[in-house]
Amino acid sequence: MERTTPVRHSRRAPPLARRHPAPSPPYRYDNRIPPVDSGARPSHPTWQHGGVTAATHSSPLPPRDADAVLEGLDPEQRAVATALHGPVCVLAGAGTGKTRAITHRIAYGVRAGILQPASVLAVTFTNRAAGEMRGRLRQLGASGVQARTFHSAALRQLQFFWPKAVGGELPRLLDRKAQLVAEAAARCRVRLDRGELREVTGEIEWAKVTQTVPADYVAALGKSSRETARDAAETGQIYAAYEQLKRDRSVIDFEDVLLLTVAVLQDRRDIAEQVRGQYQHFVVDEYQDVSPLQQRLLELWLGDRETLCVVGDASQTIYSFTGATPDHLLNFRTRHPGATVVKLVRDYRSSPQVVHLANGLLGQARGRAADHRLELVSQRGKGPEPVYTEYGDEPAEAEGTARRVRDLIAAGVPAGEIAVLFRINAQSEVYEQALADAGVPYQLRGAERFFERQEVREAGAALRGAARFGGNDALLDGMVELPSQVRAVLSTKGWTDQPPAGSGAVRDRWESLAALVRLAEDFAGARPEATLADLVAELDERAVAQHAPMVQGVTLASLHAAKGLEWDAVFLVGLAEGTVPITYAKTEAQVEEERRLLYVGVTRARTHLSLSWSLSRSPGGRPTRKATRFLAGLRPGGGRVARAVADGAGGS
């Protein structure tokens, strides 16, 4: 393995390790060091301290013998909690209490005197998850244990050891890399709009998390199943220019934090030994989402020890497009032949009816992850059967969903305990409108509201200008019908007849513009005499209605954004072929990830679960759509479903 020697210069960052260029969304990193808990602060600053969150909702467990920590655990959770020696692999299905198991494991070890709190590092992927873990550990009397994201842990180490390893202060950390990526593109004489800028930035992040340097980007892309809308060679050039700009300005990005920590630990045995002397026991949550770079960092933290506990579920791997891979989880027993393996399959979250569907989805899965699927066993009382509803068109589906949401609220289900989940963010607009029309409060999670998105605002401005000066606009010459006028205007903003290849920001932008085109088509269908000015007025009214202050209401979110959350009632909408699985999922691996994404959606529901799709896009359209293949054989009664028609007759 090639090693990188840091440059001994106080004002320049060391070159990045060629084989270890780091994670991207969904991993949210914060470059700010959290405040140190005053109760645990040492007399002098050290890299391993700090970042402890404040209090939990209940008082800490009073000091008692260690066995008190084990009370209330089921047999498998207890097996996790008492497995304190050697490598441990916990295969934990959705809703099985994995966080409970691993926090009780740490607390039991601490209170039994087997683990010293300061010697334990628990690593997860989001600040929210790390904060929750710290809070639970406090409740269990295990204060002082460090629970951090990979990025936060690496950043603290890098800040402390940089003067010793390289000299001077750590280079400034970029808050956002987009501006520098745009400048790099300009140096390459490439102009990027906002969506393209997000796309290229995402590609740079993917390259670094998969340990791909600029010179190898094109080849790496060719070997992967990843599809992009941009020319790979051009993206590679922008990536190289971006890295050069960072070197010129002595700045680093979030991915470099992991890269440079790896480089320091590889190059400086004394520093590596100091870190290993401090942290002797490691716990890694959501291990199926570890990237190759994060795995390398974990190996350097461990050294030749096997004091590692990992927790994960290959069936919840839904971020492989960012470089995450379940291979490290699936290969754990190969790397650690003597590992203790515990399976958590008792589902405390979902009703037996929801769990039955979740198991059925995975029962049809293929591939290596499917070979390691877990059969969940619900521990809850009987609930209602999942509801399958077929609608005539998308507006009817949204309206029917809004009615059923309103009925649930009237029946006593809090609005905050209801979620409507869809595959892509562009689907949100019709549900935002339907819920608003039904008087149901909602909040959009993980994305901007439809009319607040940059591309939608830009499109609205372009349409407004065309409506005002259309008679003098050559772009609209010969365009009589409203939809054709809208298509012509939006073509200047990136809309095309065919969607771009692959996923990412460019595709998201196109989907938003396509949603406006469809809205124009539907508007013209309902009002054949409508003009472009009428459509602009309609858009303005919708935008104003949806700019109301945020309220505690029904959650609207993509399936990806719903990971790690749960609700009493979940509506999975738009489950038609071409959306789930998405059209650009072509290989078996891509299709299987789409199946896992639906599985994640299903397992978010505690009690009420509704699944729906529509036969056509708009009222009066050809009913050519079919329900997603993933539901084949799983619907009750040989595939019979409730039927709802577009005229507003509710189906459930």
Side-chain angles (χ1 to χ4, degrees):
M1 180 173 295
E2 183 175 342
R3 300 172 64 188
T4 300
T5 303
V7 177
R8 311 302 182 194
H9 194 294
S10 62
R11 302 180 65 86
R12 301 276 290 214
L16 305 184
R18 281 188 59 84
R19 292 188 60 190
H20 304 290
S24 53
Y27 314 129
R28 297 191 299 269
Y29 294 129
D30 189 346
N31 65 309
R32 298 168 298 174
I33 301 300
V36 177
D37 178 12
S38 59
R41 185 165 186 159
S43 59
H44 57 281
T46 57
W47 58 270
Q48 68 268 30
H49 290 280
V52 181
T53 60
T56 55
H57 295 293
S58 57
S59 301
L61 196 67
R64 289 185 290 172
D65 65 287
D67 288 343
V69 177
L70 304 179
E71 294 176 1
L73 300 182
D74 68 31
E76 294 78 24
Q77 292 171 342
R78 181 179 287 251
V80 173
T82 55
L84 296 174
H85 301 285
V88 178
C89 179
V90 182
L91 303 176
T96 58
K98 66 179 177 65
T99 304
R100 177 180 174 83
I102 59 177
T103 52
H104 280 69
R105 177 184 185 270
I106 295 170
Y108 178 73
V110 168
R111 295 180 62 161
I114 299 172
L115 304 178
Q116 293 301 313
S119 73
V120 180
L121 177 60
V123 187
T124 188
F125 285 88
T126 67
N127 289 321
R128 179 183 63 81
E132 179 184 358
M133 192 176 294
R134 289 193 294 266
R136 292 199 189 193
L137 288 169
R138 258 201 187 77
Q139 285 182 294
L140 295 169
S143 297
V145 172
Q146 293 295 296
R148 296 184 175 277
T149 64
F150 270 101
H151 178 270
S152 174
L155 180 59
R156 180 157 305 265
Q157 293 175 23
L158 197 60
Q159 287 175 320
F160 185 84
F161 289 114
W162 187 267
K164 179 178 180 180
V166 182
E169 295 184 357
L170 181 70
R172 180 175 62 86
L173 186 63
L174 284 172
D175 288 328
R176 299 178 62 187
K177 62 173 66 69
Q179 183 174 351
L180 208 61
V181 173
E183 190 171 338
R187 285 196 173 188
C188 296
R189 299 184 179 181
V190 177
R191 184 174 181 179
L192 302 175
D193 62 26
R194 185 185 177 99
E196 292 170 329
L197 180 59
R198 291 198 303 267
E199 182 82 4
V200 173
T201 301
E203 284 303 298
I204 291 173
E205 291 171 343
W206 172 83
K208 299 177 81 168
V209 73
T210 56
Q211 306 175 93
T212 303
V213 295
D216 299 335
Y217 171 76
V218 174
L221 197 64
K223 292 178 182 177
S224 72
S225 59
R226 187 179 183 86
E227 293 187 18
T228 65
R230 299 194 56 78
D231 177 71
E234 185 176 81
T235 299
Q237 292 172 353
I238 297 172
Y239 178 17
Y242 168 75
E243 292 297 316
Q244 185 60 53
L245 275 173
K246 288 198 290 106
R247 287 191 291 270
D248 291 345
R249 298 178 185 180
S250 295
V251 296
I252 59 175
D253 60 26
F254 286 165
E255 288 71 41
D256 292 334
V257 169
L258 298 187
L259 285 166
L260 293 171
T261 305
V262 165
V264 168
L265 295 178
Q266 285 182 159
D267 190 62
R268 292 292 297 269
R269 180 184 295 270
D270 57 331
I271 292 176
E273 290 304 321
Q274 188 173 346
V275 173
R276 293 166 192 160
Q278 170 63 36
Y279 290 130
Q280 300 170 19
H281 302 273
F282 297 85
V283 177
V284 183
D285 193 14
E286 302 287 2
Y287 194 54
Q288 77 277 354
D289 288 332
V290 166
S291 71
L293 180 58
Q294 289 167 326
Q295 175 64 22
R296 179 58 185 149
L297 179 58
L298 179 61
E299 291 168 354
L300 288 167
W301 282 339
L302 276 167
D304 57 2
R305 300 166 299 178
E306 291 194 316
T307 51
L308 171 65
C309 174
V310 300
V311 189
D313 179 10
S315 296
Q316 296 190 68
T317 304
I318 60 173
Y319 294 111
S320 65
F321 63 92
T322 68
T325 172
D327 289 346
H328 305 299
L329 175 66
L330 299 178
N331 294 335
F332 191 83
R333 281 171 286 185
T334 301
R335 297 195 312 274
H336 304 279
T340 298
V341 179
V342 182
K343 294 183 180 180
L344 301 183
V345 297
R346 300 175 194 250
D347 188 324
Y348 296 95
R349 174 188 299 158
S350 302
S351 69
Q353 288 70 28
V354 172
V355 167
H356 178 72
L357 175 57
N359 287 336
L361 278 173
L362 292 188
Q364 299 179 352
R366 300 177 179 179
R368 192 174 179 216
D371 293 339
H372 294 78
R373 60 181 173 267
L374 300 169
E375 186 84 9
L376 299 178
V377 181
S378 176
Q379 305 299 297
R380 298 193 58 185
K382 183 178 180 180
E385 291 290 339
V387 175
Y388 301 84
T389 310
E390 184 176 87
Y391 292 91
D393 52 68
E394 288 181 4
E397 184 178 6
E399 292 164 8
T401 299
R403 284 196 300 272
R404 296 203 58 230
V405 166
R406 188 176 57 193
D407 291 344
L408 277 178
I409 295 173
V413 179
E417 286 294 343
I418 302 174
V420 177
L421 307 181
F422 34 77
R423 175 61 181 86
I424 56 175
N425 288 325
Q427 292 173 270
S428 74
E429 191 275 332
V430 66
Y431 290 94
E432 292 177 52
Q433 187 64 49
L435 290 172
D437 290 345
V440 175
Y442 69 88
Q443 54 185 335
L444 193 61
R445 182 182 182 89
E448 297 170 291
R449 290 169 178 261
F450 182 80
F451 286 103
E452 293 175 0
R453 296 173 193 165
Q454 180 70 22
E455 61 268 24
V456 174
R457 293 201 301 267
E458 292 174 356
L463 291 170
R464 191 172 293 105
R468 186 176 301 139
F469 304 111
N472 299 319
D473 192 341
L475 183 67
L476 300 182
D477 286 350
M479 302 289 182
V480 178
E481 297 181 343
L482 176 59
S484 61
Q485 293 176 337
V486 172
R487 293 189 200 99
V489 172
L490 297 189
S491 66
T492 66
K493 298 299 178 183
W495 180 83
T496 57
D497 287 329
Q498 297 298 319
S503 58
V506 171
R507 178 70 182 230
D508 289 345
R509 179 184 177 87
W510 183 90
E511 293 285 2
S512 294
L513 297 178
L516 288 175
V517 171
R518 292 195 296 269
L519 192 151
E521 292 169 348
D522 294 343
F523 187 69
R527 295 178 54 185
E529 77 288 350
T531 65
L532 195 55
D534 294 329
L535 175 65
V536 168
E538 171 73 8
L539 293 176
D540 288 342
E541 289 179 9
R542 290 183 177 225
V544 169
Q546 295 180 37
H547 279 166
M550 290 291 287
V551 294
Q552 181 62 32
V554 173
T555 297
L556 289 174
S558 70
L559 290 167
H560 281 102
K563 179 73 166 65
L565 303 174
E566 58 185 81
W567 296 269
D568 284 344
V570 169
F571 291 80
L572 301 176
V573 299
L575 301 183
E577 282 288 313
T579 304
V580 179
I582 201 74
T583 52
Y584 50 78
K586 295 182 174 63
T587 67
E588 180 179 287
Q590 291 169 334
V591 170
E592 287 304 314
E593 182 143 337
E594 293 287 304
R595 185 193 306 275
R596 295 193 296 271
L597 190 57
L598 180 57
Y599 171 80
V600 166
V602 168
T603 55
R604 300 310 95 194
R606 298 191 191 103
T607 305
H608 303 278
L609 178 63
S610 296
L611 305 95
S612 64
W613 59 95
S614 56
L615 299 177
S616 67
R617 179 182 58 76
S618 56
R622 294 179 59 189
T624 57
R625 289 178 172 175
K626 297 180 180 179
T628 173
R629 71 191 77 170
F630 300 143
L631 297 180
L634 299 178
R635 304 196 300 254
R640 292 195 303 272
V641 296
R643 185 65 59 89
V645 295
D647 63 8
S652 62

